[in-house]
Amino acid sequence: QVQLMQSGAELREPGASVRVSCKASGYTFTTYYIHWVRQAPGQGIEWMGWIDPNSGGTYSAQKFQGRVTMSRDTSISTAYMELSRLTSDDAAVYYCARVHRNYGDFGFDPWGQGTRVTVSS
Amino acid sequence: QSVLTQPPSVSGAPGQTVTISCTGTSSNIGAGFDVHWYQQLPGTAPKLLIYVNTNRPSGVPDRFSGSKSGTSASLAITGLQAEDEADYYCQSHDSSLSGSLFGGGTKLTVL
């Protein structure tokens, strides 16, 4: 079945960077965009950006531009999201999510299980 | 301002019907962009519940239905069950953001 498996929880100090991985299985990795979102404790969902696994093209929300890097390794069907210059406001669960259809806007399905990032000195 | 507004909470007794609203603006729902709904059970990732306003992915019970009109959308849950207790989020594309936007979420309590 279609699955996204994310890397484990991370603890970082303020000012550091974190990289989260998202391994896809059960489908052709290069044919569906991957989006990244995050959810701070007890808060709603915030969209961060997307990557086209075929071309490597990316787009990020203005809030994260200059601080987020999305990449992929097609040989292992894995997408990555790196966030730099972390502050306490970046403490959240980070999710990758595949688009439901490989054309148009049909929502996100499935989602990875989430990666908890803690920022603390 | 790019905002999708949802009520913070709704509640209902088993068997009843509840409706969750999602109010947008002229840069998202009002611009004609489609709305999707997600269910997030405690401690789990969100799950796609309704896509493109009214469509259910396979495996989603027909107790869940969606609608859209003007700058708003709604999620209706009929025959409420204890297992429906969760957070629900709407999502749409926003032209000002050039990206996706989520509502603030609604916590459903089954009394």
Side-chain angles (χ1 to χ4, degrees):
Chain A
Q1 73 278 27
V2 176
Q3 252 188 324
L4 299 176
M5 188 62 64
Q6 297 184 223
S7 48
E10 302 274 11
L11 171 62
R12 293 287 184 273
E13 293 187 350
S17 298
V18 68
R19 190 175 83 156
V20 178
S21 67
C22 171
K23 182 172 177 61
S25 61
Y27 72 98
T28 302
F29 176 64
T30 52
T31 56
Y32 292 80
Y33 280 36
I34 295 281
H35 289 247
W36 290 91
V37 304
R38 74 179 186 180
Q39 187 172 33
Q43 302 300 308
I45 300 169
E46 183 174 30
W47 177 77
M48 299 180 69
W50 55 256
I51 182 167
D52 174 0
N54 184 45
S55 67
T58 64
Y59 182 81
S60 59
Q62 186 172 20
K63 172 177 180 176
F64 300 102
Q65 287 176 8
R67 212 159 63 92
V68 69
T69 303
M70 290 171 284
S71 59
R72 92 295 191 214
D73 184 337
T74 58
S75 68
I76 55 172
S77 300
T78 300
Y80 302 93
M81 186 285 298
E82 182 170 11
L83 189 63
S84 63
R85 302 194 301 277
L86 293 170
T87 72
S88 57
D89 290 341
D90 295 314
V93 176
Y94 289 75
Y95 294 99
C96 61
R98 197 200 76 170
V99 293
H100 183 43
R101 301 269 174 86
N102 61 1
Y103 58 93
D105 177 16
F106 288 83
F108 301 162
D109 177 57
W111 294 54
Q113 83 276 22
T115 297
R116 182 173 301 279
V117 174
T118 302
V119 182
S120 175
S121 54
Chain B
Q1 189 179 7
S2 300
V3 175
L4 296 180
T5 302
Q6 299 181 232
S9 64
V10 296
S11 62
Q16 288 188 332
T17 296
V18 296
T19 301
I20 298 173
S21 61
C22 174
T23 302
T25 68
S26 58
S27 64
N28 41 68
I29 300 175
F33 293 111
D34 294 316
V35 178
H36 319 296
W37 291 90
Y38 299 86
Q39 177 192 60
Q40 185 175 34
L41 297 170
T44 69
K47 167 193 162 186
L48 184 65
L49 199 63
I50 297 287
Y51 66 95
V52 187
N53 309 315
T54 62
N55 299 277
R56 288 186 307 277
S58 60
V60 174
D62 59 7
R63 300 187 296 104
F64 295 90
S65 63
S67 64
K68 175 192 163 188
S69 179
T71 58
S72 295
S74 292
L75 172 70
I77 310 172
T78 60
L80 211 54
Q81 299 180 4
E83 67 204 50
D84 299 332
E85 192 159 284
D87 294 325
Y88 293 83
Y89 292 90
C90 61
Q91 177 202 16
S92 185
H93 182 83
D94 188 277
S95 57
S96 299
L97 291 176
S98 293
S100 199
L101 183 64
F102 286 85
T106 298
K107 182 175 182 59
L108 168 63
T109 300
V110 180
L111 302 171

